[in-house]
């Protein structure tokens, strides 16, 4: 951590500040420049609250030169982390496609879609039971009943299930869900992250619409710090000024996360652009950028889906996409678990 | 709602779509242009799920020409809403300053600050008991104990208290809190909003870092739709590319909200810029833009505050600020309730 | 174009407005909704100034349902455009890599780099002679001398040259440059675009840091409207809140441009992230997303480059990259012109 | 400047780098932390190209702790700069309103508007002769003829004139223009800025739609470095994700610029929101935030203006606004020059 001091400070103030740092086992090395004096802080600065420093009256600015996350940091865990999901493992060279409808709507719907996406090569089944919707007047999901329908589809197909949680009070309902998803809007719902850190279950953590990769890793750190090391990250588009796509898929996040962290990372091309015709090029680009997997929406009847239709593929479109995705994954040297 | 159709569609498809709309009591008027055919939908389109329309195969795009919120909409409630808080009322020409420390830290701290900000003219006391922090290693607030200390300060000063909630499971703890704050990161925590909609208590709803004003009004709609009409909105800065300030205060949101909605709106100049020296100009500008109040952080000992120091004023700085704020409020024709 | 009218307007005002539209050969169809009346405008609305409509006192809002660009629009030019450059053609399934140093620095430097990138498979040589720099104290390029050195390198290697123009007054100097580049900061330098529209020479038009794809196509329209149909678009990253990369590469722009326009589009992975280690994954992802080519910075001595070093590859790194890029281009079914 | 070094570097590499810095009169102080070694650079680092440092192979990252601008920096010029314009001076406590139509359209139009805005209290006359338009099919301004009409209006009213330049080749036409405006899209047209630096004439430099305040000051530095010290800055809204306003007015830029620089700064509330009904609240807020002036669009016939109508006030609306603006300026302790 590097602290820039204000000009014209008194020596006594500086000494007090350095003493206060020393009390916290942090050493401060002084560098006096022409116009500016800076302090280089040495010690376990990741534990320091940067705001604690910023508020000191003689401090002009503070800059971290070290990442604020530890358990998610590749520096301290050089090897890729594998997240086990049922018979599969996500990360470390394995490639998986998670697929299913945006919302679970009926037994027939989820079973039909599950059978089709499994046949096409998807290994995990996704489906929303609790749905975060901008409008209180929109369909909010089948909730507990939706979870039952997912379990039913799992029994039929053998596919592990992935579904989103929105509130800590629902955790008991998710006990036998295989992968719990934290949606973009809850990426900084810290109370939820803390609770999920106490589970022994993979968590699929989606990047918030306007969160940096560092913030995503800090949210992962909440889960890891609680003891749950099975975290899978997901890039799903960020909010920018561009209006032609719903969000802007940030594929540079993939190599960035791979460099900064040991956690697996997948991409959601369906929600990123919000346009079904863009799923194919974005899927291929995501694999080429190094993603460990994809999560793709498929609906058996997109014209009458109750939510998020425009971004969903039909099963036939998914059948056409999967061979291309698999070929790209193989071209990129990934193992396709089946 | 205006629907743009794809080119080269079949008449039968169009008829089916129009029939489906009619079944939902929506009339569709056809306009055939040179290159494009559009449909103007007439009826209660606010209840329609825009995605339901977008996913129809013959649809190119859909645009709302009417706001998707109803209870928050000034068109249907032309008069300003007043939110009653203890002996005060927020909105409709009344002006209030809410003040206090970022975090409640000790009995001595909260009482000292409460006494000082009350003496300077603040009418409501703020203080964080549950703190949303980016890092799991940062101070997370005194939680239930912090709420107790706030109640204690209320007994001493008579000031109604405002404090943030982060999880539905904490609602019982907030039973006698005067104003429950929903922080920026929870603006789209819809499960929380739904529960708060069932309370009979003012909710201070902060705009999310990357949420539009329309989304803020939709989140207010969640609370209003549940039956709780005591919603106070708060602009606190949005995330942009500018890095010199922590966030970019969007003061155009004030006249925009005033035009679109009947709800009161206040401004948080402390969190917006994250710089204590900017609180004064931003406070004055917020009042000039039409804000119904301000929420300003004050700390008795900013150099040793446990969180968010750089943006806090000292009580002396707050003493110096308040006469200017009050003069500006009077200049703008506001009633200063005391 | 769809016009939403204000409520409570007089019939006479509406009739005047419709008459004024008719005078411009635009027909207006009225749709009266429950709360809102809208007009659907039929005719050559691409020629209409949308602001002309917005300012009419009875108008609440106006929305285009048709693209404002014509010559760049795929609807009116379904086939891909090929931009001929020396012995090559860019677009329509051909794949090219443009490479060279950020700035031309010396005869030795440009010739060394040119020889190396040609040997590795690049077909066009890039190099900056006029350099847009944020600071007046930074190196501004060798200017006219830099153009001479590029011509010299072209004679030696036979590679067509690509270099950036910053001002209309420099156009005579660019007479025998093969491809004139318009940089991101000049994407809306309309006076420059107009002049380039009168040349018979390919223009490489880079997307501005905060410009939408529609604005990029409108800037292309300036060149096309002048009579120059040889426009090559380039995605090079947009400005977002993320600070870990210099800009955020928007690869969804590739399929979007391909759908909206017939113009070729290439990607600049070097400037997007500003990080040399990210060039490989972003290059592969760009090709997978459908790009017609790449523009990649290579420097023979990155440690002593006078500008933009951190994003440049060494010739050895470029040698290692090119086989992967070519294999990916072939995998995607592109023809590699050599 | 603080340099963070990569881990596992060789001592010889570090010595070479330090020697290279010393050769440029920069001293490097080494701080060895637990995980990271940093260098504090001492000397005239504002002249150093930060990229030159970043590209060194042993460097992980570089951070400035000092502003990269010198002549625009308040640290080296503590007193406010006054820009003289005809009989007036902008900055240092004086308050001015610049007003006029977006585009000059006819002698009658500009004279009518000039007479009206002068009568209402505006001191400078604005009007666009060269217009930057997104579409090549939109009205591009009367160009040289528009400048003649402005000069004519100046003779009639005595008001100094402010108008936008788009290209260096037009500089001769602007010889007797009182204030030359550089529009948002040309804020980083560095060739233009350099030429304007050689004039002895006030330059009104508008912030780019997606430029930081630091970049605005760097562009001012281009003009100042050329010898022209008469620079007036202008905040006019930045591009964000919010779509309800055309741009987001960033009023925190006003106190920020005042702290970082000695240059005067004014606000353009008309272009920021693009909504005439928002001009009043944003004007008052801008004055309250500390602006040295406003630039406001007024049109005698907004319903038939050829450009930018929706944001223009009528002369009657401007008459109603000016007393409020003046009262606010007086309330804020500004001298109103007349």
């Amino acid at each position: 951590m590097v602290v820039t001091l204000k000009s014209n400070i008194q020596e006594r103030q500086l000494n007090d500040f350095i003493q206060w740092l020393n009390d916290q086992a942090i050493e401060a090395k002084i560098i006096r420049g022409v116009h500016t004096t800076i302090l280089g802080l040495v010690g376990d600065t990741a534990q320091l609250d940067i705001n604690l420093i910023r508020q000191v009256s003689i401090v002009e600015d503070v800059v971290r030169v070290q990442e604020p996350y530890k358990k998610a940091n590749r520096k301290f865990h050089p090897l890729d982390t594998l997240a086990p999901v049922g018979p599969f493992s996500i990360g470390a060279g394995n490639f998986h496609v998670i697929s299913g409808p945006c919302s679970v709507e009926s037994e027939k719907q989820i079973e039909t879609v599950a059978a089709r996406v499994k046949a096409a090569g998807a290994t995990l089944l996704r489906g929303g039971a609790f749905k975060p919707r901008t409008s209180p007047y929109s369909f909010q999901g089948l909730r507990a009943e939706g979870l039952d329908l997912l379990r039913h589809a799992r029994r039929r197909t053998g596919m592990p299930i992935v579904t989103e949680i929105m509130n800590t009070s629902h955790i008991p309902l998710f006990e036998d869900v295989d992968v719990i998803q934290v949606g973009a809007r809850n990426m900084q719902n810290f109370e939820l992250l803390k609770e999920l850190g106490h589970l022994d279950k993979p968590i699929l953590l989606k990047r918030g619409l306007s969160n940096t990769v560092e913030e995503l890793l800090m949210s992962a750190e909440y889960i890891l710090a609680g003891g749950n090391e099975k975290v899978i990250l997901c890039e799903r588009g960020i909010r920018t000024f561009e209006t032609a796509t719903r969000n802007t898929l940030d594929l540079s996040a993939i190599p960035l996360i791979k460099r900064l962290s040991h956690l697996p990372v997948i991409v959601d091309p369906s929600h990123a652009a919000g346009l079904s015709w863009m799923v194919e090029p974005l899927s291929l680009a995501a694999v080429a950028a190094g993603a460990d997997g994809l999560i793709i929406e498929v609906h058996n009847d997109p014209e009458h889906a109750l939510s998020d239709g425009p971004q969903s593929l039909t099963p036939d479109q998914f059948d056409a996409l999967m061979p291309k995705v698999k070929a790209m994954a193989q071209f990129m040297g990934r193992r396709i678990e089946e």
Side-chain angles (χ1 to χ4, degrees), chain A:
Chain A
M1 208 177 270
V2 175
V3 176
T4 311
L5 299 177
K6 290 181 181 158
S7 43
N8 304 319
I9 62 170
Q10 294 171 8
E11 206 60 21
R12 186 191 53 73
Q13 292 176 297
L14 179 55
N15 292 338
D16 285 357
F17 180 44
I18 290 174
Q19 185 57 51
W20 179 84
L21 288 165
N22 293 347
D23 292 350
Q24 299 178 57
I26 302 289
E27 195 186 347
K29 305 213 172 171
I30 307 179
I31 298 174
R32 295 182 197 274
V34 179
H35 302 293
T36 316
T37 298
I38 65 172
L39 299 181
L41 305 196
V42 179
D44 186 9
T45 55
Q47 296 283 14
L48 261 190
D49 190 342
I50 197 167
N51 284 328
L52 263 172
I53 310 299
R54 252 192 211 119
Q55 79 212 4
V56 175
S57 61
I58 63 173
V59 169
E60 174 84 27
D61 199 9
V62 191
V63 177
R64 278 194 189 281
V65 293
Q66 206 178 315
E67 298 84 7
Y69 43 89
K70 303 181 92 174
K71 291 181 184 294
N73 197 328
R74 190 179 279 277
K75 278 188 189 155
F76 310 123
H77 303 72
L79 295 184
D80 282 358
T81 285
L82 261 176
V85 181
F88 307 119
S89 295
I90 293 182
N94 293 333
F95 186 83
H96 285 274
V97 175
I98 305 170
S99 187
C102 182
S103 298
V104 180
E105 290 162 27
S106 69
E107 185 177 324
K108 183 168 176 300
Q109 173 242 22
I110 188 68
E111 291 199 356
T112 310
V113 177
R116 289 293 303 264
V117 299
K118 184 180 183 185
T123 43
L124 281 77
L125 177 65
R126 62 148 290 158
F130 292 85
K131 299 295 304 172
R133 304 301 306 270
T134 305
S135 166
Y137 310 122
S138 296
F139 174 60
Q140 307 275 320
L142 292 181
R143 303 175 72 92
E145 185 195 338
L147 294 179
D148 282 340
L149 294 177
L150 279 171
R151 281 185 206 100
H152 194 73
R154 178 174 56 188
R155 279 193 300 273
R156 286 286 188 100
T157 62
M159 300 174 87
I161 54 176
V162 183
T163 192
E164 180 170 353
I165 194 165
M166 288 173 67
N167 201 2
T168 55
S169 68
H170 302 153
I171 287 179
L173 295 171
F174 284 69
E175 202 175 344
D176 68 346
V177 163
D178 300 284
V179 179
I180 299 181
Q181 178 179 317
V182 176
R185 288 181 184 79
N186 280 309
M187 193 203 89
Q188 293 195 317
N189 184 336
F190 301 118
E191 296 293 313
L192 180 60
L193 299 178
K194 279 183 207 170
E195 294 298 319
L196 298 178
H198 298 134
L199 303 184
D200 180 25
K201 191 184 281 299
I203 308 298
L204 176 60
L205 179 64
K206 290 191 144 187
R207 181 180 181 184
L209 275 78
S210 67
N211 287 110
T212 62
V213 165
E214 183 173 297
E215 288 169 340
L216 173 61
L217 292 174
M218 290 305 289
S219 285
E221 190 83 6
Y222 260 95
I223 301 169
L224 297 166
N228 183 354
E229 302 193 342
K230 297 169 183 164
V231 177
I232 304 159
L233 304 173
C234 181
E235 160 65 29
R236 44 78 74 222
I238 58 174
R239 187 164 266 195
T240 70
F241 60 82
E242 176 61 75
T243 53
T245 46
R246 189 163 57 179
N247 293 119
T248 298
L249 185 65
D250 176 13
L251 285 180
S252 53
I254 307 303
L256 182 63
I257 289 170
K258 288 284 175 194
R259 190 179 178 94
L260 297 175
S261 181
H262 50 92
L263 295 172
V265 56
I266 68 170
V267 170
D268 178 344
S270 303
H271 282 82
L275 299 162
S276 63
W277 60 265
M278 225 187 247
V279 169
E280 179 178 317
L282 295 185
S283 293
L284 298 180
V287 181
D292 294 307
L294 297 169
I295 179 164
I296 296 176
E297 277 189 21
V298 171
H299 201 281
N300 59 325
D301 184 9
E303 300 225 3
H304 296 95
L306 291 176
S307 66
D308 275 338
Q311 72 212 14
S312 289
L313 301 182
T314 60
D316 289 352
Q317 289 170 325
F318 188 68
D319 285 348
L321 172 67
M322 280 299 284
K324 297 178 189 172
V325 166
K326 284 185 179 178
M328 178 64 85
Q330 281 163 336
F331 179 81
M332 294 298 297
R334 297 305 173 110
R335 276 185 306 280
I336 298 174
E337 282 199 331
E338 277 171 313

